[in-house]
């Protein structure tokens, strides 16, 4: 290995290690690696910026806008709700959930589908006394499988399509991946319905646990006339920095004060609602003028009114909240919401709320303003997955919703028959939606996940560093030395396994970008067309089933389903093997 190859190898190893251990925001880690390559001259500024002009990356940005507009319309959500309500059996309901979601995910971004359907499924499960955990991992897996059917199904497909064009090839046609996507989706859904459902745990949802055990989460104290800090602020009363406790709301007659700020004035007769380590109330009870309310236990219905709602949100991989405590992030003032509880690995974190360091996949139960969903449904910081009551302010316009659906279907038709490219068709749809005021520029800003796009764009520069340093050809030679004597089928298996390992520990798009220069070198060395190798790698990069961290949709259902890491390994490993074998066999016989 040359010195440049060694440097690139070391930097990439540190980058992958940093991504695995969540030492910083993923964008910061990848951007730092790219900056190092730029400073030491391995890549030029043009190489570093190549990802920002890639057609696949720009198409993903437009897809975010279109998917956001469809999610906003609520039409698909309403259809799904009515469709699901017609079933009463577990197997029948799984069929009604998995087939439509896998079909939808072939044409829409997976993330909004899972975010939209998770609360529907959870509420339906609670009404029918069925554990939500029987549905949520299958929901995520169904969208992943369906996303392999078309070019627009996942960001991975679009990224590889863009790189193929950059390398001088035609890229994928709309349904080219369906040769593999349809068989693995059918087999995958059969596995989930027949075998997978038996392997899944029967967990109560996060909200359901909190509702049933509200005494462990919230408690109430009454301010008497004798309290020394009456008519003084919360901070002056010493209620801001309580050990293990968090003042989440004040009930004052028919008025609700939430979130409670340091400057909020305490009045006699106030009912103070605390969350956190409820056993720590013993210390507060010694304060003269504060008494624990006896009799009726405070519950969620006491906390909510027309101006507030209770919402469940999952911390995302791209969140600005990562590695910060709730207090450090100024969560209360930033989002106008108080944190009631935090769940991680299916268990509540028993600590003072303000001291909890947030990680990807953490489930937050929030007491939030009535407009919280409308403001933060498209937030990059978390996925809002379970509003217990839809606020009245969150209204929908059916006419604009149907315009969005019709434009989207027209776009698919024009791209399929070859009149327009995917990028041009999506750009036209977005322009029409803006012109007809179906969406606003403010909404466009919310819909586009800039952190995801920046991560993908920077990853292109990392791929260029691997090519220019000679690391990609070197790795290709090593894989060939192992796989070539065993035959082409074994070589395809090695490509699939290597890509799949990357996607399980980093992200799907980054895995594809790191692997594509390697598989192109392998195809060139074998004097074979690279399309078969590229498709193998594309499917492998999207097929993340074994961990909750490899794919966004797995992370979204992690907390709400009350799953552990082992649950993904148990149900995902057989599915991953099935998908790998079907993919490699079809590629081997169809392309080679």
């Amino acid at each position: 290995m040359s010195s440049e190859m060694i440097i690139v190898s070391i930097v990439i190893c540190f980058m992958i290690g940093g991504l695995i251990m969540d030492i910083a925001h993923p964008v910061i880690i990848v951007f730092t690696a790219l900056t190092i390559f730029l400073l030491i001259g391995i890549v030029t500024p043009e190489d570093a910026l190549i990802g920002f002009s890639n057609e696949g990356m720009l198409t993903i940005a437009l897809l975010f806008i279109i998917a956001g507009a469809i999610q906003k319309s609520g039409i698909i959500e309403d259809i799904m709700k009515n469709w699901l309500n017609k079933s009463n059996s577990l197997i029948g309901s799984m069929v009604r959930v998995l087939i439509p979601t896998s079909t939808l995910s072939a044409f829409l971004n997976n993330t909004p589908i899972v975010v939209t359907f998770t609360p529907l499924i959870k509420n339906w499960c609670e009404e029918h006394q069925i554990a939500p955990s029987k549905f949520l991992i299958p929901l995520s897996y169904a969208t992943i499988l369906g996303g392999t059917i078309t070019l627009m199904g996942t960001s991975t497909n679009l990224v590889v399509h863009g790189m193929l064009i950059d390398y001088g090839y035609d890229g994928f046609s709309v349904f080219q991946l369906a040769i593999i996507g349809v068989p693995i989706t059918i087999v995958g859904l059969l596995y989930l319905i027949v075998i997978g459902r038996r392997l899944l745990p029967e967990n109560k949802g996060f909200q359901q646990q909190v509702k049933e055990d509200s005494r462990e989460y919230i408690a109430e104290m009454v301010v008497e006339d004798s309290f020394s800090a009456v008519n003084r602020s919360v901070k002056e009363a010493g209620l801001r920095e309580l050990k293990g406790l968090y003042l989440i709301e004040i009930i004052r007659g028919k008025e609700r004060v939430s979130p409670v700020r340091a400057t909020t004035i305490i009045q006699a007769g106030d009912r103070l609602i605390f969350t956190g380590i409820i056993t720590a109330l013993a210390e507060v009870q010694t304060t003269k003028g504060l008494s624990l309310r006896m009799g009726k236990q405070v519950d969620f219905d006491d906390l909510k009114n027309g101006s507030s709602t209770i919402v469940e949100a999952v911390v995302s991989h791209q969140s600005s909240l990562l590695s910060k405590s709730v207090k450090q992030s100024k969560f209360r003032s930033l989002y106008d919401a108080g944190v009631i509880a935090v769940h991680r690995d299916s268990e509540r974190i028993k600590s003072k709320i303000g001291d909890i360091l947030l990680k990807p996949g953490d489930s937050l139960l929030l007491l939030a303003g009535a407009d919280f969903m409308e403001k933060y449904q498209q937030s990059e910081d978390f996925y809002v997955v379970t509003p217990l009551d839809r606020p009245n302010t969150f209204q929908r316009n059916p006419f604009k919703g149907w315009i969005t659906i019709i434009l989207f279907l027209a776009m698919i038709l024009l791209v399929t028959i070859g009149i327009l490219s995917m990028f041009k068709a999506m750009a036209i749809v977005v322009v029409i939606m803006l012109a007809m005021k179906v969406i606003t520029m403010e909404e466009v800003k919310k819909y586009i996940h800039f952190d995801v796009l920046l991560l993908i764009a920077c990853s292109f520069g990392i791929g260029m560093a691997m090519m220019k340093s000679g690391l990609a050809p070197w790795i290709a030679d090593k894989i060939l030395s192992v796989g070539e004597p065993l035959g082409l089928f074994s070589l395809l298996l090695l490509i699939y396994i290597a890509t799949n390992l990357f996607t399980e520990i980093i992200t799907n798009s980054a895995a594809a970008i790191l692997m594509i220069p390697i598989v192109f070198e392998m195809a060139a060395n074998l004097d074979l067309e690279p399309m078969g190798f590229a498709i193998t790698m594309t499917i492998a990069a999207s097929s993340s089933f074994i961990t909750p961290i490899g794919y966004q949709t797995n992370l979204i259902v992690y907390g709400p389903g009350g799953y552990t890491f082992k649950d993904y390994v148990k149900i995902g490993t057989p599915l991953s093997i099935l998908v790998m074998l079907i993919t490699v066999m079809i590629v081997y016989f169809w392309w080679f």
Side-chain angles (χ1 to χ4, degrees):
M1 291 179 73
S2 67
S3 58
E4 279 193 348
M5 289 163 60
I6 292 170
I7 292 169
V8 172
S9 299
I10 292 170
V11 172
I12 289 176
C13 285
F14 274 108
M15 181 190 78
I16 293 171
L19 290 170
I20 294 170
M21 293 186 290
D22 289 320
I23 61 172
H25 196 291
V27 171
I28 295 173
I29 295 170
V30 176
F31 183 72
T32 300
L34 181 59
T35 302
I36 292 170
F37 294 146
L38 186 62
L39 291 174
I40 60 181
I42 291 175
V43 295
T44 63
E46 291 75 18
D47 295 330
L49 296 172
I50 192 171
F52 293 89
S53 61
N54 179 268
E55 182 176 317
M57 197 276 293
L58 296 173
T59 305
I60 293 167
L62 295 173
L63 185 59
F64 279 142
I65 299 170
I66 295 170
I70 292 174
Q71 184 184 15
K72 171 193 170 185
S73 75
I75 291 173
I76 293 175
E77 181 181 347
D78 292 338
I79 293 171
M80 187 66 176
K81 187 185 296 182
N82 294 329
W83 174 248
L84 189 57
N85 284 336
K86 293 178 181 178
S87 177
N88 291 310
S89 67
L90 177 61
I91 295 177
S93 302
M94 289 191 78
V95 171
R96 284 176 177 270
V97 168
L98 300 186
I99 292 177
T101 51
S102 58
T103 304
L104 280 171
S105 66
F107 301 99
L108 287 173
N109 189 289
N110 299 352
T111 302
I113 293 174
V114 175
V115 169
T116 300
F117 289 168
T118 295
L120 288 181
I121 291 169
K122 282 172 67 67
N123 290 341
W124 182 89
C125 287
E126 288 177 9
E127 290 171 4
H128 292 79
Q129 286 76 53
I130 297 173
S133 56
K134 289 292 185 183
F135 281 85
L136 295 183
I137 277 182
L139 171 68
S140 174
Y141 288 176
T143 60
I144 292 172
L145 291 166
T148 62
I149 294 174
T150 70
L151 169 59
M152 67 191 81
T154 70
S155 59
T156 310
N157 302 351
L158 290 166
V159 164
V160 178
H161 169 75
M163 293 190 77
L164 284 167
I165 292 172
D166 287 345
Y167 277 91
Y169 297 94
D170 292 334
F172 299 137
S173 63
V174 177
F175 290 102
Q176 186 171 3
L177 293 167
I179 298 167
I180 296 171
V182 171
I184 65 174
T185 300
I186 293 170
V187 173
L189 296 187
L190 286 171
Y191 162 78
L192 290 170
I193 293 167
V194 177
I195 299 172
R197 65 183 175 86
R198 303 178 189 275
L199 302 176
L200 286 164
E202 293 196 23
N203 298 331
K204 294 177 182 177
F206 177 21
Q207 297 171 14
Q208 198 173 350
Q209 291 179 44
V210 177
K211 277 184 175 181
E212 293 178 2
D213 303 319
S214 60
R215 290 177 183 271
E216 296 183 17
Y217 292 86
I218 50 179
E220 176 182 344
M221 302 201 77
V222 178
V223 179
E224 299 173 348
D225 292 330
S226 57
F227 184 47
S228 60
V230 169
N231 297 324
R232 294 169 66 184
S233 70
V234 167
K235 185 174 182 180
E236 291 171 336
L239 299 176
R240 188 69 170 177
E241 302 293 339
L242 293 172
K243 185 178 180 181
L245 290 172
Y246 180 69
L247 180 57
I248 194 170
E249 185 178 58
I250 298 175
I251 301 177
R252 184 174 295 155
K254 293 183 179 180
E255 182 188 355
R256 300 289 196 279
V257 181
S258 175
V260 180
R261 307 186 187 283
T263 54
T264 301
I265 301 298
I266 301 291
Q267 297 180 12
D270 282 352
R271 295 161 58 190
L272 309 180
I273 310 301
F274 291 96
T275 186
I277 307 172
I278 299 305
T279 53
L281 273 173
E283 182 180 339
V284 183
Q285 281 182 267
T286 61
T287 305
K288 184 180 178 181
L290 290 181
S291 60
L292 187 66
R293 190 183 184 218
M294 307 303 290
K296 181 180 180 293
Q297 173 66 27
V298 64
D299 59 24
F300 285 151
D301 290 332
D302 293 321
L303 300 183
K304 297 183 294 180
N305 67 359
S307 62
S308 63
T309 186
I310 294 176
V311 175
E312 184 179 346
V314 179
V315 179
S316 75
H317 267 310
Q318 291 80 38
S319 179
S320 62
L321 303 170
L322 297 181
S323 302
K324 296 178 183 176
S325 69
V326 172
K327 183 178 178 181
Q328 287 171 338
S329 66
K330 298 181 180 178
F331 195 100
R332 183 165 19 196
S333 58
L334 188 61
Y335 299 106
D336 193 29
V339 182
I340 297 174
V342 182
H343 267 213
R344 181 182 298 156
D345 297 329
S346 79
E347 293 183 359
R348 177 196 179 199
I349 300 177
K350 294 183 178 179
S351 173
K352 183 179 179 181
I353 297 293
D355 295 337
I356 296 174
L357 291 175
L358 297 176
K359 294 184 178 182
D362 283 352
S363 280
L364 312 179
L365 196 66
L366 308 174
L367 180 62
D371 60 349
F372 182 89
M373 262 193 65
E374 192 171 2
K375 282 184 177 179
Y376 300 112
Q377 191 178 39
Q378 301 294 336
S379 171
E380 293 183 350
D381 289 334
F382 36 68
Y383 309 105
V384 180
V385 291
T386 317
L388 296 185
D389 296 296
R390 181 176 296 283
N392 294 328
T393 58
F394 197 69
Q395 300 296 328
R396 289 162 167 172
N397 187 319
F399 177 71
K400 289 183 177 180
W402 281 112
I403 289 176
T404 304
I405 300 291
I406 291 167
L407 286 171
F408 182 67
L409 293 175
M411 179 198 79
I412 294 171
L413 179 63
L414 291 172
V415 174
T416 302
I417 61 180
I419 294 176
L420 293 172
S421 69
M422 180 68 69
F423 178 74
K424 289 179 181 177
M426 286 190 179
I428 291 170
V429 169
V430 171
V431 169
I432 293 173
M433 287 195 298
L434 285 168
M436 297 182 70
K437 298 184 179 179
V438 173
I439 54 174
T440 66
M441 279 306 300
E442 287 302 313
E443 287 172 332
V444 167
K445 292 175 187 176
K446 290 180 184 177
Y447 296 154
I448 298 176
H449 292 205
F450 290 101
D451 284 2
V452 175
L453 297 178
L454 185 57
L455 180 64
I456 293 171
C458 290
S459 297
F460 276 94
I462 304 296
M464 286 298 296
M466 291 177 65
M467 286 293 295
K468 297 191 77 171
S469 67
L471 181 62
W474 184 84
I475 294 174
D477 286 339
K478 295 300 177 184
I479 295 175
L480 281 173
S481 66
V482 174
E484 193 173 8
L486 301 175
L488 183 57
F489 188 87
S490 298
L491 192 59
L492 290 170
L493 279 175
L494 284 175
I495 292 171
Y496 189 102
I497 292 169
T499 308
N500 202 237
L501 284 173
F502 270 134
T503 205
E504 293 289 4
I505 60 177
I506 46 177
T507 67
N508 51 327
S509 296
I513 291 166
L514 289 177
M515 284 298 296
I516 202 163
I518 297 171
V519 299
F520 274 2
E521 285 294 326
M522 292 169 66
N525 290 345
L526 293 170
D527 197 25
L528 294 170
E529 282 294 314
M531 188 59 73
F533 290 98
I535 286 177
T536 303
M537 182 213 65
T538 302
I539 301 295
S542 294
S543 302
S544 173
F545 305 114
I546 300 176
T547 73
I549 62 173
Y551 210 90
Q552 283 181 328
T553 57
N554 289 345
L555 191 72
I556 293 167
V557 301
Y558 188 27
Y563 298 116
T564 63
F565 198 96
K566 291 179 182 177
D567 292 326
Y568 287 84
V569 175
K570 185 165 61 175
I571 188 174
T573 301
L575 179 59
S576 193
I577 293 170
L578 278 172
V579 170
M580 176 179 68
L581 293 175
I582 293 169
T583 300
V584 172
M585 283 192 290
I586 292 175
V587 169
Y588 182 75
F589 289 109
W590 186 271
W591 274 276
F592 298 114

